[in-house]
Amino acid sequence: MAQFWKPGTEKPRLIDDEEGGVLFLSASASSSSSGYGFASFEKQRQRLPVYKYRTAFLYLVETHATTIVVGETGSGKTTQIPQYLKEAGWADGGRVIACTQPRRLAVQAVASRVAEEMGVKLGEEVGYTIRFEDATSTGTLIKFLTDGVLLREMMGDPLLTKYSVIMVDEAHERSISTDILLGLLKKIQRRRPELRLIISSATIEAKSMSAFFQTRRRRGLQGEEPALAMEPAILSVEGRGFNVQIHYVEDPVSDYIQAAVSTVLLIHDKEPFGDILVFLTGQDDIETAVKLLTEEARDNRKSSSGLIVLPLYSGLSRAEQELIFSPTPRGKRKVVISTNIAETSLTLEGIVYVIDSGFSKQKFYNPISDIENLVVAPISKASARQRAGRAGRVRPGKCYRLYTEEYFVNEMAAEGIPEIQRSNLVSCVIQLKALGIDNILGFDWPASPSPESMIRALEVLYSLGVLDDDAKLTAPLGFQVAEIPLDPMISKMILSSDQLGCSEEILTIAAVLSIQSIWVSSRGIQKELDEAKLRFAAAEGDHVTFLNVYKGFLQSGKSSQWCHRNYINYHAMKKVVDIREQLRRIAQRLGVTLKSCDNDILVVRKAVAMGFFANACRLEPFSHEGMYKTVRTSQEVYIHPSSVLFRVNPKWVVYHSIVSTDRQYMRNVATIEPSWLREVAPHFYRQDGPDAMLH
DNA sequence: GAGCACTGC
């Protein structure tokens, strides 16, 4: 877990996380040790709650195939357990101990902390691997990696033979990668009885994890360690959190933004000093709340003087992030108004009060329309507890829940719906296929996705030519697509560009599509941004526009001033260059000839269509509002106002993705010719299919 | 003329 600068500790150093954003990590990378002055690492390690379970833990690992560790925040499990395992000899004889994390930044932070504690150079005995960055060597004994990277490793080594122990940390977050990994590890266990699994999970998930890893004892197997228990062991380790007092509203609130603002003022008025963290759902909510509090501070200086109000969400600029992590001046009170990002991804020090709206934005996937929606939905009890826990990191705290106790007890779901049941499964299915899991529907998941979603994914992969009639990966296309670490539609586009002679252009487009946005964030400077966009806009759509921007960026000598003048995000462009280079290497390895089509934009559009034909849309005749319908599912969609084709409304387009608000908006849109659809995907756009309207 | 919960390969 990433830790951030705590006032009064060592000066932070900057970690540029390749996403273009900078976060502050304390030099010691762990707040739990920072209060102990000059104590040696060994002393510090012994003071962690997990230390007194060391022997018990090692015994359980010795005697059980799977051990589930339930550990609260600050127990030290993530940094200590891999070291205990190493000390007990699990890394002897050329074997490696693996520890997975859901996030890249956590991988780097934990690895560097453990290397420091062990007094070794990072990348040697202790190393880490994240996408595009491998800091390991042949001598690496403890390896931290994202769960996605471990899944990728299985493609080359399906039984993960080099690992003696695999620890899956933060398993309760139930990301898609974690769930796939858990399902596969359970399979591996049957083939490799000597392998040990450690699943680290929050209390609430431990039981279902245990049930999942419950395996029948196998009989008559030669060489199996006789004493090995197949039933998972569960070890609970207490955390370092302080007590958090929970307050509920007496009656349901109708406006949680207003309620949150009032609660902030009430705390500020009545409670001793200590920073406040407010959980709302998204940028809009947050900016409304910030505005209300700022106005309050202006109009009524008495009740709100001394408040420093700060928004927090992932899209913040570098400068705004700095404010969040700067220490609160004496006599002031910081109020951070945040999305879910403060629930798991980053930790703010100094929070004593939490205000929980009870809602967050969550993704839901509808396999019928094949559209992912982002909607405001009630959080689970597990999330509510996690949010409350953020108040107890420095001293006993208070959590104000903007819902009733009755609602919490009787209505709130115990846990959230796992991501795999809320997502498009195209990437997930191809990954399992690449690992030789043919019976996707029968796969032993920790939580099964709906058959409709799986069938929809199989259908798209079949149409892309990635799967054959028997739902097996095709050669070479299917295997190539599976090997490229991108959405299969983008991978198909890249591979198709080979025969069309425009791979240089398509690699650029693929790189741009895999980052959020190349434009500077636009609030308040909309007119300037629109004008800047016009300088690059292409009639063929956003993809060709990206090529114009990239060309301009290279011609400027990758100049940050040039980006600034043109309202382009310099850090995003640097990342595009970096990702493009990685993709170029992968494409070359797969035999794609690097070739530019110069200015023959037609082939570029065709390559885009070869990847994204499933997202084809036609403008509704006589539509004055620019209404389109998807060719496949007849969904009503519109071109997003950020697209260069907004209000241009060409008759036929393909889109890269959809954002859903009041309407379904297509982001990143390219013009196509309708005749291409049947040409590039004849089986998909059959004469008798839903595409009778192709005529 | 309007919007971006959060990750990851």
Side-chain angles (χ1 to χ4, degrees), chain A residues 16 44 61 68 179 218 256 371 414 418 618:
Chain A
D16 203 326
Q44 289 180 28
V61 172
I68 295 166
D179 269 18
R218 298 191 312 155
Y256 61 73
I371 286 174
R618 187 174 81 147

Side-chain angles (χ1 to χ4, degrees), chain A residues 211-378:
Chain A
F212 179 68
F213 279 101
Q214 191 92 46
T215 48
R216 276 172 298 137
R217 185 183 296 276
R218 298 191 312 155
R219 282 168 298 178
L221 202 85
Q222 293 297 312
E224 188 172 345
E225 292 149 76
L228 190 65
M230 301 311 280
E231 183 173 327
I234 299 185
L235 180 73
S236 275
V237 182
E238 76 275 7
R240 271 247 175 99
F242 293 94
N243 185 44
V244 176
Q245 198 181 346
I246 309 286
H247 299 264
Y248 294 93
V249 294
E250 297 199 348
D251 300 301
V253 302
S254 56
D255 178 349
Y256 61 73
I257 300 177
Q258 189 57 57
V261 168
S262 310
T263 310
V264 168
L265 295 174
L266 191 75
I267 293 169
H268 189 49
D269 195 32
K270 304 274 187 227
E271 298 286 340
F273 273 96
D275 295 340
I276 305 173
L277 173 62
V278 184
F279 285 102
L280 295 180
T281 61
Q283 190 174 337
D284 268 353
D285 279 9
I286 288 168
E287 280 174 3
T288 307
V290 169
K291 196 159 151 275
L292 286 172
L293 278 168
T294 314
E295 279 169 8
E296 180 66 31
R298 204 182 46 217
D299 300 345
N300 184 356
R301 303 187 64 86
K302 193 160 157 248
S303 77
S304 50
S305 63
L307 279 184
I308 302 171
V309 184
L310 299 168
L312 174 59
Y313 45 87
S314 72
L316 282 182
S317 71
R318 193 174 277 232
E320 289 162 313
Q321 284 183 12
E322 282 185 34
L323 294 175
I324 300 294
F325 299 109
S326 64
T328 310
R330 188 178 292 276
K332 299 268 184 184
R333 193 198 297 268
K334 190 156 69 178
V335 183
V336 177
I337 307 189
S338 173
T339 61
N340 247 12
I341 192 169
E343 192 180 306
T344 49
S345 302
L346 53 88
T347 307
L348 297 164
E349 296 298 345
I351 300 296
V352 178
Y353 307 98
V354 162
I355 300 171
D356 173 14
S357 65
F359 290 94
S360 68
K361 282 198 184 175
Q362 291 163 41
K363 181 178 68 183
F364 289 95
Y365 172 66
N366 177 347
I368 307 298
S369 61
D370 190 30
I371 286 174
E372 286 179 343
N373 277 297
L374 201 56
V375 295
V376 173

Side-chain angles (χ1 to χ4, degrees), chain A residues 18-19 104 128-135 149 485-486 514 575 578-583 585-586:
Chain A
E18 191 209 72
E19 310 291 319
R104 303 161 54 98
Y128 70 89
T129 308
I130 55 184
R131 179 168 70 156
F132 299 155
E133 196 175 334
D134 184 12
V149 167
L486 294 172
S514 61
K575 206 171 134 195
D578 190 32
I579 292 177
R580 189 185 185 285
E581 174 57 22
Q582 308 289 342
L583 295 178
R585 268 187 238 155
I586 294 170

Side-chain angles (χ1 to χ4, degrees), chain A residues 58-113:
Chain A
L58 289 172
Y59 171 78
L60 291 176
V61 172
E62 196 71 40
T63 51
H64 292 72
T66 306
T67 304
I68 295 166
V69 178
V70 177
E72 308 287 324
T73 317
S75 62
K77 62 183 158 52
T78 307
T79 54
Q80 301 310 303
I81 284 178
Q83 294 186 67
Y84 298 164
L85 290 166
K86 192 231 141 204
E87 289 154 11
W90 285 95
D92 295 351
R95 300 178 301 170
V96 180
I97 296 158
C99 176
T100 74
Q101 296 289 322
R103 280 170 291 279
R104 303 161 54 98
L105 203 65
V107 167
Q108 291 174 308
V110 173
S112 87
R113 172 68 193 184

